[in-house]
Amino acid sequence: MDCPDCVHLARNSGFCFGVKRAIQIAQDSARERNRIFTLGPLIHNPQMVARLKESGIQPIDDVTQIGAGETVIIRSHGVTRETLEYMKIHGIRYIDATCPYVSKTQQDGRLLSNEGYTVLIIGNREHPEVIALKSYVDGENFVVISPDDFPKKKFGKLGIISQTTQPLDKLKEIVHHAIPRCEELRVFNTICNATLIRQNSTRKLAARSDLMIVIGGRNSSNTKMLAHISSEIVETHHIETASEIDRSWLERKKRIGITAGASTPDWLILDVYNQIIKYTGDRERMVENVEDIPGSKEE
Amino acid sequence: MDCPDCVHLARNSGFCFGVKRAIQIAQDSARERNRIFTLGPLIHNPQMVARLKESGIQPIDDVTQIGAGETVIIRSHGVTRETLEYMKIHGIRYIDATCPYVSKTQQDGRLLSNEGYTVLIIGNREHPEVIALKSYVDGENFVVISPDDFPKKKFGKLGIISQTTQPLDKLKEIVHHAIPRCEELRVFNTICNATLIRQNSTRKLAARSDLMIVIGGRNSSNTKMLAHISSEIVETHHIETASEIDRSWLERKKRIGITAGASTPDWLILDVYNQIIKYTGDRERMVENVEDIPGSKEE
């Protein structure tokens, strides 16, 4: 970086593929209907959820809250087979925006149990993705998050799949533990590397910045993780919107870095960038698209 | 151990299941025939090979050395599919004494390649077991002995099998390395733990002995490994027969331990035990069966 007072966006930040796709599907569907529902908030970003509500996309907690003829968007985490069944029986229409990587994991889980494997799911037992995934496994199965959770028994055919956002090292650790405990082990590497890529990108940008601004829902796990990683390297502020920026943060900072979680929409990132530029006084550097922010297309 | 001047045999020592079975098959077959061949020495023990020769069991290097109507014993390592085919075409009869654990590995390799997996074989490229095993894999396959040998590419479906005598840690290490390099990993744990059990048993006995005698062919890898392990704990001598025992070794040794490789027959172990007892002067303690040697049935 040779420019003084520059503001850069992390190369990999903002919506991941699955989130972008789910939002697109929801918005396209809302255009054709008066109202439409999502099972739980579509993403962990309050500003985006509020904007979706304006388009008639309403979150509900449970399918029993709505009746026949209504339409539900299945969010990127997927839903249980039981919920799907309920909707079919009760005439609730659904549009499936399950992330294709999550669908693949569900298919892998089903294949393993159909072929007689005991299935080990690596993930958080309470996470909606894991709850949905588990419903696709018919036979014996276990959810583990560390080798300590490993069942105290020997297995014949053991299959392993993972919640898509788990770290690769966790998968390696569990497999290491599983090898001497079974005769045959079949592992589907179902981890999506969007999370890892965003973390690496943040780490890289933080290392060459005097200040980092991390944008995303305070309820977003992956955004909180980005803020944590960044804060270990340089002064970091986690915000949801541009209005939270305190001008004093920017004083005597030559190089400012911006990053955003996988559930943070582009318009929030754009707002933050332009707000910072405004404070620098050089309004000519303001941009209209996220793609025009320096760094966003960097190799 | 509370007895002075005691001589103990390691709980797990001598013939493993596969070797015992192969010898039995060879001896039974030899009784019905004038002469019979083995492809390579049946086991890595010169004394046992010499005794088998007396029963008409002759090692050859290559099936092309014999003609139609002759009978060959396939030893515990197995043979290539090409050799089997050659024998069928040329009217050579064969008796299959392949270790069932090795046969299982061959079947696993075949299954993986039939189901479209690239097959990674962990083992020594030059070992007869690996050469035979590789012939059962039709599609793309690699033999690796360390992560450094790992092909520099990404795999879709990757299958892993191992030479039966490789250490478990090697399998774990290769699997660890494979996980981020493929989409699906299928591992058959084809390691036979006879080797590990003998090593642990030797380690245990060496730790409570003043002297260890390790019996087995000087060309036997697993016997050499037992001698190496033992020598790091206590004074150790690797011998092939009782006649090699130097009486001076026994001086001022209260506790003497004996162990033997997986290719060492019981009669050689018995000879060594009784020879040591003779030197102690207490001939009443001599035994007629290996099972009667103290320690051999210990839990």
Side-chain angles (χ1 to χ4, degrees), chain B residues 74 176 273:
Chain B
I74 297 174
H176 189 86
Y273 176 77

Side-chain angles (χ1 to χ4, degrees), chain B:
Chain B
M1 275 180 33
D2 49 359
C3 56
D5 301 313
C6 62
V7 184
H8 271 66
L9 177 63
R11 171 73 181 90
N12 296 102
S13 56
F15 279 179
C16 67
F17 163 73
V19 166
K20 193 179 286 179
R21 184 174 166 277
I23 298 275
Q24 193 63 53
I25 289 173
Q27 286 175 332
D28 290 350
S29 309
R31 255 178 237 116
E32 301 161 10
R33 287 169 183 80
N34 269 343
R35 61 176 187 177
I36 198 163
F37 299 92
T38 64
L39 252 178
L42 194 60
I43 58 172
H44 285 155
N45 186 277
Q47 291 72 33
M48 191 68 210
V49 170
R51 187 171 274 203
L52 291 170
K53 274 186 192 166
E54 287 167 19
S55 323
I57 302 167
Q58 190 71 29
I60 49 168
D61 293 328
D62 199 290
V63 277
T64 60
Q65 292 175 251
I66 54 172
E70 299 287 9
T71 303
V72 168
I73 305 277
I74 297 174
R75 60 182 171 174
S76 54
H77 300 319
V79 290
T80 63
R81 281 202 282 175
E82 291 70 30
T83 301
L84 273 186
E85 197 55 30
Y86 179 93
M87 295 195 283
K88 282 177 192 163
I89 292 171
H90 291 81
I92 297 166
R93 286 178 292 192
Y94 59 85
I95 296 164
D96 192 356
T98 306
C99 169
Y101 295 131
V102 173
S103 296
K104 160 77 165 58
T105 309
Q106 293 171 347
Q107 287 161 28
D108 292 340
R110 197 165 194 177
L111 180 149
L112 287 171
S113 68
N114 284 348
E115 295 195 0
Y117 293 82
T118 296
V119 180
L120 221 69
I121 300 170
I122 302 173
N124 295 310
R125 206 179 298 274
E126 313 296 333
H127 194 284
E129 182 185 325
V130 174
I131 293 167
L133 176 54
K134 199 171 148 66
S135 77
Y136 281 84
V137 178
D138 286 316
E140 187 181 38
N141 66 84
F142 303 91
V143 178
V144 300
I145 192 67
S146 93
D148 299 336
D149 304 332
F150 215 92
K152 301 276 176 290
K153 57 182 279 193
K154 280 261 182 184
F155 296 95
K157 294 167 73 175
L158 187 67
I160 296 186
I161 49 179
S162 174
Q163 184 182 351
T164 56
T165 51
Q166 288 294 320
L168 186 64
D169 283 344
K170 178 76 72 188
L171 174 61
K172 285 180 169 180
E173 189 187 12
I174 301 285
V175 167
H176 189 86
H177 202 76
I179 287 176
R181 289 169 175 80
C182 62
E183 286 164 27
E184 182 195 335
L185 180 66
R186 196 160 168 191
V187 183
F188 288 95
N189 183 352
T190 56
I191 291 171
C192 166
N193 59 4
T195 308
L196 182 65
I197 286 174
R198 274 157 188 68
Q199 291 173 358
N200 288 343
S201 224
T202 295
R203 205 170 273 120
K204 212 167 149 187
L205 182 58
R208 54 182 199 186
S209 301
D210 303 317
L211 173 74
M212 282 288 288
I213 305 288
V214 181
I215 317 163
R218 292 194 212 290
N219 59 339
S220 156
S221 301
N222 82 83
T223 307
K224 282 188 279 186
M225 183 53 79
L226 293 185
H228 172 75
I229 288 170
S230 177
S231 70
E232 292 196 325
I233 301 169
V234 72
E235 181 185 331
T236 299
H237 299 278
H238 176 180
I239 61 173
E240 287 193 348
T241 66
S243 65
E244 295 172 47
I245 300 171
D246 187 328
R247 197 168 179 159
S248 71
W249 297 344
L250 313 180
E251 278 167 22
R252 286 184 304 279
K253 300 296 189 321
K254 280 193 173 296
R255 300 165 305 175
I256 296 166
I258 303 174
T259 191
S263 48
T264 308
D266 280 359
W267 53 272
L268 283 175
I269 301 174
L270 195 66
D271 278 359
V272 167
Y273 176 77
N274 285 332
Q275 183 63 52
I276 295 172
I277 292 300
K278 259 189 234 165
Y279 284 139
T280 66
D282 186 8
R283 288 177 175 249
E284 294 214 344
R285 283 159 62 202
M286 286 173 66
V287 296
E288 284 180 19
N289 295 299
V290 162
E291 292 72 25
D292 299 327
I293 301 177
S296 62
K297 284 176 188 163
E298 214 169 75
E299 278 315 308

Side-chain angles (χ1 to χ4, degrees), chain A residues 31 38-39 43 66 85-86 94 140 153-154 161 164-165 173 182 191 200 211 233-234:
Chain A
R31 256 179 236 115
T38 64
L39 252 178
I43 58 172
I66 54 171
E85 198 55 31
Y86 179 93
Y94 59 84
E140 187 181 39
K153 58 181 279 193
K154 281 260 183 185
I161 49 178
T164 56
T165 51
E173 189 187 11
C182 63
I191 291 171
N200 288 343
L211 173 74
I233 301 169
V234 73

Side-chain angles (χ1 to χ4, degrees), chain A:
Chain A
M1 275 179 32
D2 49 359
C3 57
D5 300 314
C6 63
V7 185
H8 272 66
L9 177 62
R11 171 75 181 90
N12 295 102
S13 57
F15 279 179
C16 67
F17 164 73
V19 166
K20 194 179 286 179
R21 182 173 166 277
I23 299 275
Q24 192 64 54
I25 290 172
Q27 286 175 332
D28 289 350
S29 309
R31 256 179 236 115
E32 301 160 9
R33 286 168 185 80
N34 270 342
R35 61 176 188 177
I36 198 163
F37 299 93
T38 64
L39 252 178
L42 194 60
I43 58 172
H44 285 155
N45 187 275
Q47 291 72 32
M48 190 68 210
V49 170
R51 188 172 275 203
L52 291 169
K53 275 185 191 167
E54 287 166 19
S55 323
I57 302 168
Q58 190 71 28
I60 49 169
D61 294 328
D62 200 291
V63 277
T64 60
Q65 293 175 249
I66 54 171
E70 300 286 8
T71 304
V72 168
I73 305 277
I74 297 174
R75 59 182 173 174
S76 54
H77 300 319
V79 290
T80 64
R81 281 202 282 174
E82 291 70 29
T83 301
L84 273 187
E85 198 55 31
Y86 179 93
M87 294 194 285
K88 281 176 193 163
I89 292 170
H90 292 81
I92 297 167
R93 286 177 293 192
Y94 59 84
I95 297 163
D96 192 356
T98 306
C99 170
Y101 296 131
V102 173
S103 296
K104 160 78 165 56
T105 308
Q106 293 171 347
Q107 288 161 28
D108 292 340
R110 197 164 193 178
L111 181 148
L112 287 171
S113 68
N114 284 348
E115 295 195 0
Y117 293 81
T118 296
V119 179
L120 222 68
I121 299 170
I122 302 173
N124 294 310
R125 205 179 299 273
E126 314 295 334
H127 194 284
E129 181 186 325
V130 173
I131 294 168
L133 176 54
K134 198 171 150 65
S135 77
Y136 281 84
V137 178
D138 285 316
E140 187 181 39
N141 65 84
F142 303 91
V143 178
V144 300
I145 192 67
S146 93
D148 300 336
D149 304 332
F150 215 91
K152 301 278 176 289
K153 58 181 279 193
K154 281 260 183 185
F155 296 95
K157 295 166 72 175
L158 187 67
I160 296 185
I161 49 178
S162 173
Q163 184 182 351
T164 56
T165 51
Q166 289 294 319
L168 186 64
D169 283 345
K170 177 77 70 188
L171 174 61
K172 285 180 169 180
E173 189 187 11
I174 301 284
V175 167
H176 189 86
H177 201 76
I179 287 175
R181 289 168 175 79
C182 63
E183 287 164 26
E184 182 195 335
L185 181 66
R186 195 160 168 192
V187 183
F188 287 95
N189 182 352
T190 55
I191 291 171
C192 165
N193 59 4
T195 308
L196 183 66
I197 286 174
R198 274 158 188 66
Q199 290 174 357
N200 288 343
S201 224
T202 295
R203 205 170 273 119
K204 212 167 150 187
L205 183 58
R208 55 182 198 184
S209 301
D210 303 316
L211 173 74
M212 283 288 287
I213 305 288
V214 181
I215 318 163
R218 292 193 213 290
N219 59 339
S220 155
S221 301
N222 82 83
T223 307
K224 283 188 279 186
M225 183 53 80
L226 293 185
H228 172 74
I229 288 170
S230 177
S231 70
E232 292 197 325
I233 301 169
V234 73
E235 182 185 330
T236 298
H237 298 278
H238 176 181
I239 61 173
E240 288 192 348
T241 67
S243 65
E244 295 172 47
I245 300 172
D246 187 327
R247 196 167 178 159
S248 70
W249 298 344
L250 313 180
E251 278 167 22
R252 286 185 304 279
K253 301 296 188 318
K254 280 193 173 298
R255 300 165 303 175
I256 297 166
I258 303 174
T259 191
S263 49
T264 308
D266 279 0
W267 53 272
L268 283 175
I269 301 173
L270 194 66
D271 278 359
V272 167
Y273 175 78
N274 285 332
Q275 183 63 52
I276 295 171
I277 292 299
K278 260 189 233 167
Y279 285 141
T280 67
D282 186 8
R283 290 177 173 249
E284 294 215 341
R285 283 160 62 202
M286 286 174 66
V287 296
E288 285 180 18
N289 295 299
V290 162
E291 291 72 27
D292 299 328
I293 300 176
S296 62
K297 285 179 188 159
E298 214 169 74
E299 279 315 310

